[in-house]
Amino acid sequence: MPYSDEQIRRLFVALGYAKKIKTECFGELEYPRPEVWDFHRSKARIKVALAPARTSKSFAGSWDMIPDILDFDKPEKHLIVGPDYDKASKEFNYVADALVHRRDEAKRKYGLDIPEPVQYYNTPKTGRMQIVWPWGAELHAKSAAHFSSVIGESWGVALLSETCELGPE
């Protein structure tokens, strides 16, 4: 990964991930929490987020892919696999929101220039979810029910969505 921890932090601020949140009970909190930053800073080949339900595992996992997708010098195909297309769409939408829908805001506020995708399909009902950028990076969301569609491909990063629902295949 070509980005330093500080560059990733600035990237996450520009795209709206890193921010301060006001809460009624705890006052102002930094998001992501320090434990989540540890997850993002990890250089481990395989990362596993273990946390209770509703604690942003999918959100953090999706955002963890973004610096790899934005590696202009090493464009790769990236994969999200869920038990079905609908469940894989959650993580896909987090990345699409950051790198497709927030591009103009990130450029206006922070000068971050992310080129517009050359292909963008987001139709979970038909199983067609992919984004292709001009530098060659790709993001695909697939269903484990059709796992043969991911075999034989070379993937840079793979994110397993709702892993406990995936079968042994």
Side-chain angles (χ1 to χ4, degrees):
M1 181 179 335
Y3 299 104
S4 70
D5 290 345
E6 183 55 33
Q7 288 171 317
I8 290 172
R9 188 177 292 271
R10 288 195 317 245
L11 172 68
F12 285 175
V13 167
L15 292 172
Y17 178 59
K19 56 191 163 204
K20 294 188 188 270
I21 300 171
K22 293 185 192 266
T23 67
E24 202 171 292
C25 297
F26 303 107
E28 190 171 82
L29 297 175
E30 297 237 355
Y31 186 84
R33 304 295 304 141
E35 300 82 6
V36 179
W37 278 117
D38 290 343
F39 174 79
H40 291 307
R41 279 195 301 270
S42 172
K43 304 297 183 222
R45 187 167 172 258
I46 297 173
K47 298 181 186 184
V48 178
L50 299 173
R54 313 300 321 148
T55 55
S56 299
K57 295 180 297 293
S58 296
F59 196 55
S62 302
W63 276 88
D64 203 58
M65 299 179 87
I66 290 175
D68 292 301
I69 292 170
L70 292 176
D71 186 346
F72 300 117
D73 296 327
K74 188 180 167 203
E76 296 180 308
K77 291 170 72 174
H78 305 283
L79 173 68
I80 297 169
V81 178
D84 54 48
Y85 291 112
D86 195 46
K87 290 188 176 151
S89 71
K90 177 173 52 171
E91 287 84 353
F92 182 85
N93 287 331
Y94 290 145
V95 176
D97 184 52
L99 298 182
V100 177
H101 305 298
R102 293 187 185 178
R103 288 176 41 256
D104 294 338
E105 180 183 347
K107 184 170 186 171
R108 188 177 66 251
K109 285 185 175 178
Y110 297 94
L112 178 63
D113 191 13
I114 300 171
E116 185 173 354
V118 293
Q119 290 182 2
Y120 175 53
Y121 303 100
N122 189 1
T123 52
K125 299 267 187 259
T126 65
R128 190 165 191 199
M129 292 180 289
Q130 73 179 42
I131 307 171
V132 179
W133 287 275
W135 62 91
E138 299 180 21
L139 176 65
H140 299 262
K142 302 282 187 174
S143 166
H146 306 285
F147 67 90
S148 61
S149 68
V150 301
I151 295 173
E153 296 283 342
S154 176
W155 302 101
V157 173
L159 173 65
L160 303 180
S161 171
E162 303 297 340
T163 309
C164 63
E165 296 180 30
L166 297 175
E169 311 78 42

